């Protein structure tokens, strides 16, 4: 892994992963893309980590997308790096929640990286844009299919056909991001949300993420059947005693949160 292009800080069961090329607005060079894959592949094997917060260094950019200077020499094709660097695969295979803390510009390939996260939070500095068509390439990391499912076909076409920027407040209103924070509040809020997620029963947290993601790729009727199948399968491993203990824990947590 190239030195310093990505930073990993573990905070209990949460890992804070920071893209660290602020001088280049965290542009996705080959080295950074490789580091992202290696980081998530490694974290997937780390039993102590059950959630990740992904953000960018500085307050200007989450990531401005593929490093255009480098791409001008190596080409834009996803296979230009030998086909060995697949961020969509590494993040897609990560079994625990990924919270994207979008601290600034998330442009084109950077927008696609954001969409690989399970939950998006944004600072007031966040700006989203899809300039694939303007640059002369077709998205290959999922944007054309994910974005329309999140915000609707018409809004997705507006963004992708114009290349215009979407501000954080509009992104929240459209359902692209869950919440918007002041810049200094963003990462702490993301870490707190990640910590809350890690308090879920580990087996259920992993199974629930897989159920939602797998069902999202199915027709609705098939997804409902799959939910029933997995629910019945899981129920066979649950005892009445464990359910009662879990009920007590949930009740106590509710009382604590409502004080």
């Amino acid at each position: 892994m190239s030195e310093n292009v990505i930073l990993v800080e573990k905070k209990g069961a949460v890992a804070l992963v920071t893209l660290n090329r602020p001088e280049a607005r965290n542009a996705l060079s080959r080295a950074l893309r490789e580091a992202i894959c290696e980081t998530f592949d490694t974290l997937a094997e780390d039993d102590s980590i059950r959630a990740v917060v992904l953000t960018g260094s500085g307050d200007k950019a989450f990531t401005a997308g593929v490093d255009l200077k480098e791409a001008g020499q190596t080409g834009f094709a996803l296979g230009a790096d030998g086909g060995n660097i697949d961020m969509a695969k590494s993040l897609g295979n990560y079994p625990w929640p990924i919270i994207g803390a979008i601290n600034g510009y998330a442009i084109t390939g950077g927008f696609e990286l954001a969409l690989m996260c399970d939950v998006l939070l944004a600072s007031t500095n966040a700006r989203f844009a899809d300039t694939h068509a303007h640059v002369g390439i077709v998205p290959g990391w999922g944007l054309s299919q994910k974005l329309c499912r999140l915000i609707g076909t018409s809004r997705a076409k507006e963004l992708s056909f114009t290349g215009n920027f979407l501000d954080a407040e509009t992104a929240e209103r459209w359902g692209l991001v869950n919440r918007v924070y002041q810049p200094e509040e963003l990462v702490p809020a993301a870490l707190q949300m990640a910590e809350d997620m890690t308090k879920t029963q580990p087996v259920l947290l992993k199974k629930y993420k897989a159920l939602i993601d797998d069902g999202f790729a199915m027709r609705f009727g098939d997804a409902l059947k799959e939910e029933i199948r997995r629910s019945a399968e899981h129920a066979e491993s649950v005892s009445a005693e464990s359910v009662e203990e879990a009920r007590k824990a949930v009740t106590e947590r509710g009382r604590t949160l409502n004080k």
Side-chain angles (χ1 to χ4, degrees), residues 9-227:
E9 184 179 357
K10 297 181 181 180
K11 299 174 179 289
V14 178
L16 174 61
V17 176
T18 305
L19 311 180
N20 190 41
R21 298 188 70 214
E23 75 290 345
R25 296 198 173 185
N26 301 317
L28 296 168
S29 63
R30 176 189 172 114
L32 180 52
R33 298 197 307 274
E34 185 175 29
I36 290 169
C37 293
E38 290 182 5
T39 295
F40 277 91
D41 291 346
T42 299
L43 288 172
E45 301 299 321
D46 188 339
D47 293 335
S48 69
I49 299 298
R50 297 195 302 280
V52 170
V53 172
L54 177 63
T55 193
S57 59
D59 58 4
K60 295 187 180 301
F62 172 66
T63 167
V66 172
D67 190 321
L68 296 180
K69 184 181 295 185
E70 181 182 77
Q73 300 172 350
T74 62
F76 285 100
L78 296 180
D81 51 24
N84 298 319
I85 305 174
D86 191 341
M87 297 189 304
K89 180 179 179 181
S90 291
L91 272 72
N93 287 341
Y94 187 69
W96 304 103
I98 304 170
I99 297 175
I102 313 304
N103 56 301
Y105 290 107
I107 303 174
T108 312
F111 198 170
E112 293 199 270
L113 179 60
L115 292 175
M116 295 175 199
C117 300
D118 297 295
V119 174
L120 293 182
L121 306 179
S123 84
T124 53
N125 291 335
R127 299 290 185 273
F128 299 87
D130 175 19
T131 64
H132 280 97
H134 286 261
V135 176
I137 56 177
V138 174
W141 292 331
L143 186 145
S144 70
Q145 302 306 306
K146 290 181 178 179
L147 187 60
C148 61
R149 286 166 168 80
L150 286 172
I151 65 173
T153 302
S154 179
R155 285 170 170 168
K157 287 179 178 178
E158 175 188 332
L159 290 180
S160 297
F161 296 171
T162 65
N164 291 342
F165 282 98
L166 183 72
D167 62 80
E169 290 74 16
T170 306
E172 181 183 26
R173 192 170 70 249
W174 283 10
L176 177 62
V177 304
N178 287 18
R179 292 177 178 83
V180 177
Y181 298 91
Q182 292 300 313
E184 67 277 7
E185 298 172 348
L186 176 64
V187 170
L191 290 170
Q192 182 60 60
M193 180 178 288
E195 183 181 348
D196 290 345
M197 290 180 177
T198 64
K199 293 176 182 177
T200 301
Q201 295 180 36
V203 171
L204 266 297
L205 181 58
K206 187 182 291 187
K207 284 187 176 182
Y208 217 147
K209 173 176 171 171
L211 177 58
I212 293 173
D213 288 347
D214 294 346
F216 187 74
M218 299 177 184
R219 294 178 57 173
F220 184 66
D222 293 335
L224 288 176
K225 293 176 182 177
E226 182 64 12
E227 179 189 81

